[in-house]
Amino acid sequence: MSDLPEPGYDSAIAGPPPRIHSSKSGFKETLAQGWEFVRFVWKMSSRIRSPKNRLRFVIGLILWKPILPKE
Amino acid sequence: MYCDPYQFDFVKTLEANWLSVRQELSQLRDCDFLTYPEKYLLDGKTGWDIYGIYFLGVRIDLNCEQCPETARLVQAIPGIITAGFSRLAAGAHIVPHSGKPVGVLRCHMGLDVPEKCGLRVGSEIKPWQAGKCLVFDDTSEHEAWNLSDRHRDVMLLDFCVPAGTQARDYYSTAPKAAESLESAASSLT
């Protein structure tokens, strides 16, 4: 999470805050990202009753959202 | 690019019922939300949680039962793809990114919006307002931040643009202005 800016910072006028953390991710982080994705799919699909819809959800998610980021 | 939200009929209905939606949101526990998995979109890799009502056209049954009024409103939206609550934690910053071109527009309706929050789409920055919708093209570069000391909640919707049209047909400023100038010029000649 970003550090909170100094009091008095008005986001609507000043625009977005600067990026603080590096965008680079190593192999471990990439792997962790993939695992997070699997956990997300599992948890969300467990809230769907019909097995057919669950399958649709999983396939849709795989086709629409790649597991690993492109950057 | 932002779009004029009132081009879409469902926006008025949503805004008219925003208090019911917020009421259902307020009954949810933190553990009902899921951490959004694309953590690389977050500066600091944390702070974005979601609660799905519809996801990629699939109804999330148990969540719809927990929020029946919200589910009813969502089901009535033509071309609905994804709907749910999006929670941005205090201090969280979703870094600039663009969605994939899939012919959908995104709508955010503010539900619980502290100060020092904003959404940049292209070069335009807007704050969310409780009970008001913002509609934008997710394929334009955008970023969001919450620099307050509490979370920000919005209702997030992805919906298909009507058949035979494209997302850019709904942009609110430059293209329409250019179009009206063009038609004014042609009527003079």
PDB file of all heavy atoms in Angstrom, chain B residues 75-113:
ATOM      1  N   GLN B  75     -29.360  -7.133 -13.102  1.00  0.00           N
ATOM      2  CA  GLN B  75     -29.922  -8.027 -14.122  1.00  0.00           C
ATOM      3  C   GLN B  75     -30.721  -7.259 -15.174  1.00  0.00           C
ATOM      4  O   GLN B  75     -30.868  -7.720 -16.300  1.00  0.00           O
ATOM      5  CB  GLN B  75     -30.823  -9.067 -13.464  1.00  0.00           C
ATOM      6  CG  GLN B  75     -30.019 -10.226 -12.892  1.00  0.00           C
ATOM      7  CD  GLN B  75     -30.818 -11.097 -11.941  1.00  0.00           C
ATOM      8  OE1 GLN B  75     -32.042 -10.976 -11.882  1.00  0.00           O
ATOM      9  NE2 GLN B  75     -30.147 -11.937 -11.200  1.00  0.00           N
ATOM     10  N   ALA B  76     -31.209  -6.089 -14.797  1.00  0.00           N
ATOM     11  CA  ALA B  76     -32.027  -5.307 -15.732  1.00  0.00           C
ATOM     12  C   ALA B  76     -31.176  -4.476 -16.691  1.00  0.00           C
ATOM     13  O   ALA B  76     -31.725  -3.836 -17.597  1.00  0.00           O
ATOM     14  CB  ALA B  76     -32.958  -4.391 -14.924  1.00  0.00           C
ATOM     15  N   ILE B  77     -29.869  -4.461 -16.496  1.00  0.00           N
ATOM     16  CA  ILE B  77     -29.008  -3.640 -17.357  1.00  0.00           C
ATOM     17  C   ILE B  77     -28.707  -4.399 -18.653  1.00  0.00           C
ATOM     18  O   ILE B  77     -28.178  -5.510 -18.616  1.00  0.00           O
ATOM     19  CB  ILE B  77     -27.685  -3.281 -16.630  1.00  0.00           C
ATOM     20  CG1 ILE B  77     -27.986  -2.441 -15.385  1.00  0.00           C
ATOM     21  CG2 ILE B  77     -26.726  -2.545 -17.563  1.00  0.00           C
ATOM     22  CD1 ILE B  77     -26.790  -2.180 -14.501  1.00  0.00           C
ATOM     23  N   PRO B  78     -29.047  -3.787 -19.806  1.00  0.00           N
ATOM     24  CA  PRO B  78     -28.795  -4.489 -21.073  1.00  0.00           C
ATOM     25  C   PRO B  78     -27.294  -4.702 -21.290  1.00  0.00           C
ATOM     26  O   PRO B  78     -26.505  -3.791 -21.059  1.00  0.00           O
ATOM     27  CB  PRO B  78     -29.353  -3.526 -22.126  1.00  0.00           C
ATOM     28  CG  PRO B  78     -30.117  -2.480 -21.387  1.00  0.00           C
ATOM     29  CD  PRO B  78     -29.626  -2.457 -19.985  1.00  0.00           C
ATOM     30  N   GLY B  79     -26.917  -5.891 -21.685  1.00  0.00           N
ATOM     31  CA  GLY B  79     -25.522  -6.191 -22.015  1.00  0.00           C
ATOM     32  C   GLY B  79     -24.591  -6.266 -20.822  1.00  0.00           C
ATOM     33  O   GLY B  79     -23.372  -6.114 -20.977  1.00  0.00           O
ATOM     34  N   ILE B  80     -25.146  -6.548 -19.658  1.00  0.00           N
ATOM     35  CA  ILE B  80     -24.276  -6.578 -18.475  1.00  0.00           C
ATOM     36  C   ILE B  80     -23.273  -7.739 -18.563  1.00  0.00           C
ATOM     37  O   ILE B  80     -23.633  -8.853 -18.948  1.00  0.00           O
ATOM     38  CB  ILE B  80     -25.108  -6.657 -17.160  1.00  0.00           C
ATOM     39  CG1 ILE B  80     -24.220  -6.432 -15.936  1.00  0.00           C
ATOM     40  CG2 ILE B  80     -25.889  -7.953 -17.050  1.00  0.00           C
ATOM     41  CD1 ILE B  80     -23.745  -5.027 -15.774  1.00  0.00           C
ATOM     42  N   ILE B  81     -22.038  -7.453 -18.248  1.00  0.00           N
ATOM     43  CA  ILE B  81     -20.965  -8.461 -18.306  1.00  0.00           C
ATOM     44  C   ILE B  81     -20.470  -8.750 -16.886  1.00  0.00           C
ATOM     45  O   ILE B  81     -20.402  -9.894 -16.463  1.00  0.00           O
ATOM     46  CB  ILE B  81     -19.767  -7.936 -19.138  1.00  0.00           C
ATOM     47  CG1 ILE B  81     -20.187  -7.582 -20.549  1.00  0.00           C
ATOM     48  CG2 ILE B  81     -18.620  -8.937 -19.118  1.00  0.00           C
ATOM     49  CD1 ILE B  81     -20.217  -8.718 -21.503  1.00  0.00           C
ATOM     50  N   THR B  82     -20.100  -7.688 -16.216  1.00  0.00           N
ATOM     51  CA  THR B  82     -19.528  -7.842 -14.880  1.00  0.00           C
ATOM     52  C   THR B  82     -20.106  -6.756 -13.979  1.00  0.00           C
ATOM     53  O   THR B  82     -20.281  -5.619 -14.418  1.00  0.00           O
ATOM     54  CB  THR B  82     -17.986  -7.717 -14.952  1.00  0.00           C
ATOM     55  OG1 THR B  82     -17.479  -8.856 -15.652  1.00  0.00           O
ATOM     56  CG2 THR B  82     -17.333  -7.668 -13.580  1.00  0.00           C
ATOM     57  N   ALA B  83     -20.425  -7.132 -12.759  1.00  0.00           N
ATOM     58  CA  ALA B  83     -20.934  -6.153 -11.792  1.00  0.00           C
ATOM     59  C   ALA B  83     -20.508  -6.577 -10.401  1.00  0.00           C
ATOM     60  O   ALA B  83     -20.387  -7.770 -10.118  1.00  0.00           O
ATOM     61  CB  ALA B  83     -22.460  -6.081 -11.872  1.00  0.00           C
ATOM     62  N   GLY B  84     -20.293  -5.609  -9.571  1.00  0.00           N
ATOM     63  CA  GLY B  84     -19.915  -5.926  -8.196  1.00  0.00           C
ATOM     64  C   GLY B  84     -19.498  -4.681  -7.460  1.00  0.00           C
ATOM     65  O   GLY B  84     -19.643  -3.561  -7.967  1.00  0.00           O
ATOM     66  N   PHE B  85     -18.992  -4.890  -6.255  1.00  0.00           N
ATOM     67  CA  PHE B  85     -18.501  -3.766  -5.469  1.00  0.00           C
ATOM     68  C   PHE B  85     -16.979  -3.777  -5.526  1.00  0.00           C
ATOM     69  O   PHE B  85     -16.363  -4.849  -5.447  1.00  0.00           O
ATOM     70  CB  PHE B  85     -18.963  -3.879  -4.015  1.00  0.00           C
ATOM     71  CG  PHE B  85     -20.452  -3.879  -3.867  1.00  0.00           C
ATOM     72  CD1 PHE B  85     -21.098  -4.866  -3.124  1.00  0.00           C
ATOM     73  CD2 PHE B  85     -21.232  -2.901  -4.470  1.00  0.00           C
ATOM     74  CE1 PHE B  85     -22.475  -4.880  -2.986  1.00  0.00           C
ATOM     75  CE2 PHE B  85     -22.620  -2.907  -4.338  1.00  0.00           C
ATOM     76  CZ  PHE B  85     -23.243  -3.895  -3.597  1.00  0.00           C
ATOM     77  N   SER B  86     -16.418  -2.601  -5.663  1.00  0.00           N
ATOM     78  CA  SER B  86     -14.964  -2.474  -5.722  1.00  0.00           C
ATOM     79  C   SER B  86     -14.527  -1.612  -4.548  1.00  0.00           C
ATOM     80  O   SER B  86     -14.996  -0.484  -4.392  1.00  0.00           O
ATOM     81  CB  SER B  86     -14.584  -1.824  -7.056  1.00  0.00           C
ATOM     82  OG  SER B  86     -13.256  -1.389  -7.045  1.00  0.00           O
ATOM     83  N   ARG B  87     -13.651  -2.177  -3.727  1.00  0.00           N
ATOM     84  CA  ARG B  87     -13.203  -1.482  -2.511  1.00  0.00           C
ATOM     85  C   ARG B  87     -11.719  -1.158  -2.629  1.00  0.00           C
ATOM     86  O   ARG B  87     -10.897  -2.052  -2.837  1.00  0.00           O
ATOM     87  CB  ARG B  87     -13.453  -2.369  -1.287  1.00  0.00           C
ATOM     88  CG  ARG B  87     -12.893  -1.829   0.005  1.00  0.00           C
ATOM     89  CD  ARG B  87     -13.443  -2.565   1.196  1.00  0.00           C
ATOM     90  NE  ARG B  87     -14.847  -2.182   1.426  1.00  0.00           N
ATOM     91  CZ  ARG B  87     -15.614  -2.719   2.382  1.00  0.00           C
ATOM     92  NH1 ARG B  87     -15.134  -3.660   3.166  1.00  0.00           N
ATOM     93  NH2 ARG B  87     -16.865  -2.312   2.535  1.00  0.00           N
ATOM     94  N   LEU B  88     -11.420   0.124  -2.519  1.00  0.00           N
ATOM     95  CA  LEU B  88     -10.030   0.566  -2.580  1.00  0.00           C
ATOM     96  C   LEU B  88      -9.635   1.027  -1.178  1.00  0.00           C
ATOM     97  O   LEU B  88     -10.242   1.948  -0.629  1.00  0.00           O
ATOM     98  CB  LEU B  88      -9.916   1.712  -3.600  1.00  0.00           C
ATOM     99  CG  LEU B  88      -8.558   2.013  -4.208  1.00  0.00           C
ATOM    100  CD1 LEU B  88      -7.935   0.800  -4.864  1.00  0.00           C
ATOM    101  CD2 LEU B  88      -8.684   3.147  -5.221  1.00  0.00           C
ATOM    102  N   ALA B  89      -8.623   0.367  -0.632  1.00  0.00           N
ATOM    103  CA  ALA B  89      -8.229   0.647   0.755  1.00  0.00           C
ATOM    104  C   ALA B  89      -7.596   2.030   0.893  1.00  0.00           C
ATOM    105  O   ALA B  89      -7.151   2.627  -0.094  1.00  0.00           O
ATOM    106  CB  ALA B  89      -7.240  -0.416   1.207  1.00  0.00           C
ATOM    107  N   ALA B  90      -7.550   2.498   2.106  1.00  0.00           N
ATOM    108  CA  ALA B  90      -6.897   3.784   2.384  1.00  0.00           C
ATOM    109  C   ALA B  90      -5.452   3.724   1.906  1.00  0.00           C
ATOM    110  O   ALA B  90      -4.739   2.774   2.207  1.00  0.00           O
ATOM    111  CB  ALA B  90      -6.939   4.050   3.886  1.00  0.00           C
ATOM    112  N   GLY B  91      -5.041   4.720   1.147  1.00  0.00           N
ATOM    113  CA  GLY B  91      -3.656   4.790   0.669  1.00  0.00           C
ATOM    114  C   GLY B  91      -3.381   3.992  -0.591  1.00  0.00           C
ATOM    115  O   GLY B  91      -2.268   4.054  -1.114  1.00  0.00           O
ATOM    116  N   ALA B  92      -4.369   3.259  -1.099  1.00  0.00           N
ATOM    117  CA  ALA B  92      -4.117   2.409  -2.276  1.00  0.00           C
ATOM    118  C   ALA B  92      -4.099   3.233  -3.573  1.00  0.00           C
ATOM    119  O   ALA B  92      -4.790   4.244  -3.692  1.00  0.00           O
ATOM    120  CB  ALA B  92      -5.160   1.314  -2.371  1.00  0.00           C
ATOM    121  N   HIS B  93      -3.309   2.758  -4.504  1.00  0.00           N
ATOM    122  CA  HIS B  93      -3.159   3.442  -5.801  1.00  0.00           C
ATOM    123  C   HIS B  93      -3.116   2.383  -6.898  1.00  0.00           C
ATOM    124  O   HIS B  93      -2.195   1.566  -6.929  1.00  0.00           O
ATOM    125  CB  HIS B  93      -1.858   4.276  -5.784  1.00  0.00           C
ATOM    126  CG  HIS B  93      -1.534   4.941  -7.088  1.00  0.00           C
ATOM    127  ND1 HIS B  93      -0.264   5.333  -7.422  1.00  0.00           N
ATOM    128  CD2 HIS B  93      -2.318   5.295  -8.146  1.00  0.00           C
ATOM    129  CE1 HIS B  93      -0.271   5.887  -8.626  1.00  0.00           C
ATOM    130  NE2 HIS B  93      -1.508   5.874  -9.091  1.00  0.00           N
ATOM    131  N   ILE B  94      -4.133   2.382  -7.744  1.00  0.00           N
ATOM    132  CA  ILE B  94      -4.125   1.492  -8.913  1.00  0.00           C
ATOM    133  C   ILE B  94      -3.375   2.247 -10.008  1.00  0.00           C
ATOM    134  O   ILE B  94      -3.814   3.322 -10.433  1.00  0.00           O
ATOM    135  CB  ILE B  94      -5.558   1.125  -9.357  1.00  0.00           C
ATOM    136  CG1 ILE B  94      -6.294   0.411  -8.221  1.00  0.00           C
ATOM    137  CG2 ILE B  94      -5.526   0.252 -10.602  1.00  0.00           C
ATOM    138  CD1 ILE B  94      -7.759   0.165  -8.479  1.00  0.00           C
ATOM    139  N   VAL B  95      -2.263   1.714 -10.424  1.00  0.00           N
ATOM    140  CA  VAL B  95      -1.365   2.441 -11.332  1.00  0.00           C
ATOM    141  C   VAL B  95      -1.939   2.480 -12.757  1.00  0.00           C
ATOM    142  O   VAL B  95      -2.856   1.703 -13.083  1.00  0.00           O
ATOM    143  CB  VAL B  95       0.050   1.812 -11.317  1.00  0.00           C
ATOM    144  CG1 VAL B  95       0.665   1.889  -9.928  1.00  0.00           C
ATOM    145  CG2 VAL B  95       0.019   0.378 -11.823  1.00  0.00           C
ATOM    146  N   PRO B  96      -1.423   3.373 -13.615  1.00  0.00           N
ATOM    147  CA  PRO B  96      -1.985   3.480 -14.965  1.00  0.00           C
ATOM    148  C   PRO B  96      -1.992   2.142 -15.709  1.00  0.00           C
ATOM    149  O   PRO B  96      -0.995   1.430 -15.720  1.00  0.00           O
ATOM    150  CB  PRO B  96      -1.039   4.477 -15.646  1.00  0.00           C
ATOM    151  CG  PRO B  96      -0.462   5.281 -14.537  1.00  0.00           C
ATOM    152  CD  PRO B  96      -0.343   4.350 -13.377  1.00  0.00           C
ATOM    153  N   HIS B  97      -3.129   1.838 -16.301  1.00  0.00           N
ATOM    154  CA  HIS B  97      -3.260   0.604 -17.077  1.00  0.00           C
ATOM    155  C   HIS B  97      -4.425   0.770 -18.054  1.00  0.00           C
ATOM    156  O   HIS B  97      -5.208   1.713 -17.929  1.00  0.00           O
ATOM    157  CB  HIS B  97      -3.512  -0.603 -16.151  1.00  0.00           C
ATOM    158  CG  HIS B  97      -4.812  -0.538 -15.416  1.00  0.00           C
ATOM    159  ND1 HIS B  97      -5.017   0.312 -14.344  1.00  0.00           N
ATOM    160  CD2 HIS B  97      -5.977  -1.199 -15.595  1.00  0.00           C
ATOM    161  CE1 HIS B  97      -6.252   0.163 -13.907  1.00  0.00           C
ATOM    162  NE2 HIS B  97      -6.867  -0.744 -14.658  1.00  0.00           N
ATOM    163  N   SER B  98      -4.529  -0.131 -19.003  1.00  0.00           N
ATOM    164  CA  SER B  98      -5.628  -0.098 -19.976  1.00  0.00           C
ATOM    165  C   SER B  98      -6.241  -1.481 -20.077  1.00  0.00           C
ATOM    166  O   SER B  98      -5.518  -2.474 -20.046  1.00  0.00           O
ATOM    167  CB  SER B  98      -5.098   0.283 -21.365  1.00  0.00           C
ATOM    168  OG  SER B  98      -4.302   1.430 -21.273  1.00  0.00           O
ATOM    169  N   GLY B  99      -7.553  -1.519 -20.217  1.00  0.00           N
ATOM    170  CA  GLY B  99      -8.231  -2.794 -20.394  1.00  0.00           C
ATOM    171  C   GLY B  99      -8.082  -3.290 -21.826  1.00  0.00           C
ATOM    172  O   GLY B  99      -7.534  -2.598 -22.682  1.00  0.00           O
ATOM    173  N   LYS B 100      -8.602  -4.483 -22.054  1.00  0.00           N
ATOM    174  CA  LYS B 100      -8.514  -5.056 -23.407  1.00  0.00           C
ATOM    175  C   LYS B 100      -9.725  -4.626 -24.232  1.00  0.00           C
ATOM    176  O   LYS B 100     -10.808  -4.468 -23.677  1.00  0.00           O
ATOM    177  CB  LYS B 100      -8.453  -6.577 -23.311  1.00  0.00           C
ATOM    178  CG  LYS B 100      -7.181  -7.028 -22.655  1.00  0.00           C
ATOM    179  CD  LYS B 100      -7.148  -8.526 -22.462  1.00  0.00           C
ATOM    180  CE  LYS B 100      -5.882  -8.917 -21.751  1.00  0.00           C
ATOM    181  NZ  LYS B 100      -5.742  -8.315 -20.417  1.00  0.00           N
ATOM    182  N   PRO B 101      -9.541  -4.423 -25.527  1.00  0.00           N
ATOM    183  CA  PRO B 101     -10.666  -3.948 -26.339  1.00  0.00           C
ATOM    184  C   PRO B 101     -11.703  -5.053 -26.577  1.00  0.00           C
ATOM    185  O   PRO B 101     -11.490  -5.935 -27.387  1.00  0.00           O
ATOM    186  CB  PRO B 101      -9.996  -3.531 -27.652  1.00  0.00           C
ATOM    187  CG  PRO B 101      -8.711  -4.284 -27.683  1.00  0.00           C
ATOM    188  CD  PRO B 101      -8.316  -4.599 -26.284  1.00  0.00           C
ATOM    189  N   VAL B 102     -12.768  -5.027 -25.824  1.00  0.00           N
ATOM    190  CA  VAL B 102     -13.781  -6.075 -25.941  1.00  0.00           C
ATOM    191  C   VAL B 102     -15.173  -5.468 -26.143  1.00  0.00           C
ATOM    192  O   VAL B 102     -16.167  -6.141 -25.914  1.00  0.00           O
ATOM    193  CB  VAL B 102     -13.774  -7.000 -24.701  1.00  0.00           C
ATOM    194  CG1 VAL B 102     -12.583  -7.932 -24.740  1.00  0.00           C
ATOM    195  CG2 VAL B 102     -13.770  -6.203 -23.420  1.00  0.00           C
ATOM    196  N   GLY B 103     -15.218  -4.204 -26.540  1.00  0.00           N
ATOM    197  CA  GLY B 103     -16.512  -3.582 -26.842  1.00  0.00           C
ATOM    198  C   GLY B 103     -17.382  -3.345 -25.624  1.00  0.00           C
ATOM    199  O   GLY B 103     -18.602  -3.431 -25.714  1.00  0.00           O
ATOM    200  N   VAL B 104     -16.738  -3.087 -24.494  1.00  0.00           N
ATOM    201  CA  VAL B 104     -17.541  -2.786 -23.305  1.00  0.00           C
ATOM    202  C   VAL B 104     -17.159  -1.420 -22.762  1.00  0.00           C
ATOM    203  O   VAL B 104     -16.084  -0.904 -23.032  1.00  0.00           O
ATOM    204  CB  VAL B 104     -17.359  -3.839 -22.175  1.00  0.00           C
ATOM    205  CG1 VAL B 104     -17.673  -5.236 -22.646  1.00  0.00           C
ATOM    206  CG2 VAL B 104     -15.967  -3.792 -21.583  1.00  0.00           C
ATOM    207  N   LEU B 105     -18.074  -0.844 -22.014  1.00  0.00           N
ATOM    208  CA  LEU B 105     -17.791   0.382 -21.273  1.00  0.00           C
ATOM    209  C   LEU B 105     -17.882   0.057 -19.793  1.00  0.00           C
ATOM    210  O   LEU B 105     -18.545  -0.910 -19.405  1.00  0.00           O
ATOM    211  CB  LEU B 105     -18.789   1.473 -21.649  1.00  0.00           C
ATOM    212  CG  LEU B 105     -18.611   2.106 -23.034  1.00  0.00           C
ATOM    213  CD1 LEU B 105     -19.788   3.019 -23.358  1.00  0.00           C
ATOM    214  CD2 LEU B 105     -17.296   2.890 -23.127  1.00  0.00           C
ATOM    215  N   ARG B 106     -17.233   0.866 -19.004  1.00  0.00           N
ATOM    216  CA  ARG B 106     -17.236   0.633 -17.554  1.00  0.00           C
ATOM    217  C   ARG B 106     -17.972   1.769 -16.860  1.00  0.00           C
ATOM    218  O   ARG B 106     -17.824   2.933 -17.226  1.00  0.00           O
ATOM    219  CB  ARG B 106     -15.797   0.536 -17.045  1.00  0.00           C
ATOM    220  CG  ARG B 106     -15.694   0.374 -15.536  1.00  0.00           C
ATOM    221  CD  ARG B 106     -14.398  -0.251 -15.138  1.00  0.00           C
ATOM    222  NE  ARG B 106     -14.303  -1.621 -15.640  1.00  0.00           N
ATOM    223  CZ  ARG B 106     -13.230  -2.387 -15.483  1.00  0.00           C
ATOM    224  NH1 ARG B 106     -12.180  -1.911 -14.856  1.00  0.00           N
ATOM    225  NH2 ARG B 106     -13.225  -3.618 -15.939  1.00  0.00           N
ATOM    226  N   CYS B 107     -18.756   1.394 -15.867  1.00  0.00           N
ATOM    227  CA  CYS B 107     -19.495   2.377 -15.076  1.00  0.00           C
ATOM    228  C   CYS B 107     -19.101   2.203 -13.607  1.00  0.00           C
ATOM    229  O   CYS B 107     -19.030   1.067 -13.113  1.00  0.00           O
ATOM    230  CB  CYS B 107     -20.994   2.136 -15.254  1.00  0.00           C
ATOM    231  SG  CYS B 107     -22.036   3.155 -14.195  1.00  0.00           S
ATOM    232  N   HIS B 108     -18.823   3.298 -12.940  1.00  0.00           N
ATOM    233  CA  HIS B 108     -18.597   3.289 -11.490  1.00  0.00           C
ATOM    234  C   HIS B 108     -19.684   4.138 -10.855  1.00  0.00           C
ATOM    235  O   HIS B 108     -19.865   5.283 -11.253  1.00  0.00           O
ATOM    236  CB  HIS B 108     -17.262   3.963 -11.139  1.00  0.00           C
ATOM    237  CG  HIS B 108     -16.051   3.120 -11.365  1.00  0.00           C
ATOM    238  ND1 HIS B 108     -14.785   3.571 -11.064  1.00  0.00           N
ATOM    239  CD2 HIS B 108     -15.894   1.854 -11.838  1.00  0.00           C
ATOM    240  CE1 HIS B 108     -13.901   2.625 -11.349  1.00  0.00           C
ATOM    241  NE2 HIS B 108     -14.546   1.583 -11.835  1.00  0.00           N
ATOM    242  N   MET B 109     -20.378   3.595  -9.867  1.00  0.00           N
ATOM    243  CA  MET B 109     -21.306   4.428  -9.095  1.00  0.00           C
ATOM    244  C   MET B 109     -20.749   4.556  -7.680  1.00  0.00           C
ATOM    245  O   MET B 109     -20.553   3.553  -6.984  1.00  0.00           O
ATOM    246  CB  MET B 109     -22.712   3.826  -9.056  1.00  0.00           C
ATOM    247  CG  MET B 109     -23.674   4.727  -8.281  1.00  0.00           C
ATOM    248  SD  MET B 109     -25.401   4.286  -8.486  1.00  0.00           S
ATOM    249  CE  MET B 109     -25.520   2.829  -7.456  1.00  0.00           C
ATOM    250  N   GLY B 110     -20.509   5.788  -7.253  1.00  0.00           N
ATOM    251  CA  GLY B 110     -19.963   6.023  -5.921  1.00  0.00           C
ATOM    252  C   GLY B 110     -20.949   5.574  -4.850  1.00  0.00           C
ATOM    253  O   GLY B 110     -22.139   5.852  -4.933  1.00  0.00           O
ATOM    254  N   LEU B 111     -20.447   4.855  -3.833  1.00  0.00           N
ATOM    255  CA  LEU B 111     -21.309   4.402  -2.733  1.00  0.00           C
ATOM    256  C   LEU B 111     -20.810   4.943  -1.392  1.00  0.00           C
ATOM    257  O   LEU B 111     -21.582   5.455  -0.594  1.00  0.00           O
ATOM    258  CB  LEU B 111     -21.363   2.872  -2.702  1.00  0.00           C
ATOM    259  CG  LEU B 111     -22.031   2.223  -3.918  1.00  0.00           C
ATOM    260  CD1 LEU B 111     -21.866   0.713  -3.875  1.00  0.00           C
ATOM    261  CD2 LEU B 111     -23.510   2.585  -3.998  1.00  0.00           C
ATOM    262  N   ASP B 112     -19.536   4.812  -1.163  1.00  0.00           N
ATOM    263  CA  ASP B 112     -18.947   5.338   0.060  1.00  0.00           C
ATOM    264  C   ASP B 112     -17.616   5.961  -0.358  1.00  0.00           C
ATOM    265  O   ASP B 112     -16.643   5.256  -0.612  1.00  0.00           O
ATOM    266  CB  ASP B 112     -18.731   4.189   1.058  1.00  0.00           C
ATOM    267  CG  ASP B 112     -18.231   4.700   2.397  1.00  0.00           C
ATOM    268  OD1 ASP B 112     -18.113   5.930   2.564  1.00  0.00           O
ATOM    269  OD2 ASP B 112     -17.932   3.861   3.269  1.00  0.00           O
ATOM    270  N   VAL B 113     -17.630   7.265  -0.492  1.00  0.00           N
ATOM    271  CA  VAL B 113     -16.498   7.939  -1.116  1.00  0.00           C
ATOM    272  C   VAL B 113     -15.908   8.993  -0.183  1.00  0.00           C
ATOM    273  O   VAL B 113     -16.511  10.052   0.014  1.00  0.00           O
ATOM    274  CB  VAL B 113     -16.921   8.608  -2.449  1.00  0.00           C
ATOM    275  CG1 VAL B 113     -15.699   9.187  -3.146  1.00  0.00           C
ATOM    276  CG2 VAL B 113     -17.632   7.626  -3.362  1.00  0.00           C
TER     277      VAL B 113
END
